[in-house]
Amino acid sequence: MTAPSGIQRVGVLLCDDLHEELTTRWSSYLALFEDLLADPRQDLEAIGYRVHAGEWPDACDDADGWLVTGSRASVHEHPEWVAPLQSLVRDIDARGIPLIGVCFGHQLIHSALGGRTERSQLGWHLGAYPVRCEQTFSAREPGEPLSLLAVHQDQVTEPAPGFERLATSHQCPWYASRRGRTLTIQGHPEFDREFFHALMQRVRAKAGDEAVEAALAGLPAEDHTPQVRAYMRDWLRP
């Protein structure tokens, strides 16, 4: 299917569904990325593929750009759909088609292209923990802090060859990176505050009250989600 003139089709490779309790307020995980891609230019169209449930594009040129989402799964635990997703990511990257990975997607892209992911020895990483930019990124200069909402236990421990580090943290050294037309981010720019608060109630049973309350109490008055979303939209444009 060809998109209307001037419209960029963004294939969103969905690696999870929302918890059932969250669908009373948010219709789907895809809807979060539709919001992320929306701006006054109205030139990005999200096309969702629930790859974790067996819904796949026919080829990497089915979209003008691609985005790999977060997931409750772990790359290194090898769910059956991870290997074909890694293969698709390698094809997209080799073709130089714009590609973005978020959280699990960040980890999967690095693993697909020769890097490594592991479970963090520090446990859960929740909220807007301290991150600083190493390169100019999302209107932030080198040395400036970057504040995004995060929810993860796994992280990239060995980057794929050729990636430039954009942002880093003591907790998560490879927080954001890029190589060619491929961009990866450990945080969740698709989350807003309302969604994060609701998600924390789901995470509470796994991460514990202390970790969740600390994350909620540590949220800054403002974060850099709008700037990162704008950077991602521009990344996906020609």
Side-chain angles (χ1 to χ4, degrees), residues 3-64:
S5 178
I7 300 296
Q8 296 291 112
R9 290 166 54 89
V10 179
V12 181
L13 300 167
L14 295 156
C15 301
D16 212 337
D17 292 319
L18 294 183
H19 292 282
E20 185 176 345
E21 291 90 339
L22 298 175
T23 59
T24 60
R25 167 63 181 83
W26 297 272
S27 60
S28 67
Y29 196 17
L30 176 62
L32 301 186
F33 289 96
E34 289 174 332
D35 288 345
L36 182 154
L37 294 173
D39 71 1
R41 291 174 63 171
Q42 298 183 345
D43 60 343
L44 298 174
E45 177 187 10
I47 309 297
Y49 300 92
R50 295 172 61 245
V51 296
H52 68 287
E55 299 174 8
W56 294 90
D58 292 328
C60 63
D61 57 2
D62 281 3
D64 303 298

Side-chain angles (χ1 to χ4, degrees), residues 93-231:
D93 178 78
R95 291 276 300 275
I97 301 170
L99 172 65
I100 297 176
V102 170
C103 195
F104 172 88
H106 157 76
Q107 299 157 16
L108 182 127
I109 288 171
H110 276 275
S111 72
L113 300 178
R116 188 165 132 188
T117 72
E118 295 179 5
R119 183 63 50 89
S120 172
Q121 296 181 353
L122 299 177
W124 283 90
H125 300 247
L126 304 177
Y129 57 79
V131 175
R132 65 176 175 81
C133 292
E134 289 201 349
Q135 305 290 334
T136 301
F137 173 53
S138 297
R140 311 297 295 163
E141 296 299 321
E144 289 188 324
L146 177 71
S147 181
L148 277 181
L149 303 174
V151 182
H152 64 103
Q153 295 183 84
D154 299 344
Q155 61 183 352
V156 173
T157 54
E158 182 179 327
F163 273 83
E164 172 187 23
R165 183 157 50 192
L166 297 175
T168 187
S169 166
H170 170 70
Q171 293 180 242
C172 180
W174 282 88
Y175 191 88
S177 65
R178 67 185 172 203
R179 187 188 79 180
R181 294 306 307 272
T182 296
L183 169 71
T184 73
I185 304 168
Q186 180 60 69
H188 279 281
E190 78 275 23
F191 291 178
D192 60 19
R193 295 299 180 95
E194 183 183 2
F195 183 86
F196 182 77
H197 276 266
L199 182 61
M200 283 299 94
Q201 304 317 309
R202 293 291 313 167
V203 171
R204 187 182 295 275
K206 297 179 180 179
D209 291 338
E210 183 177 353
V212 167
E213 292 304 327
L216 293 174
L219 293 179
E222 296 183 351
D223 57 52
H224 301 116
T225 296
Q227 294 93 323
V228 174
R229 289 184 174 196
Y231 188 94

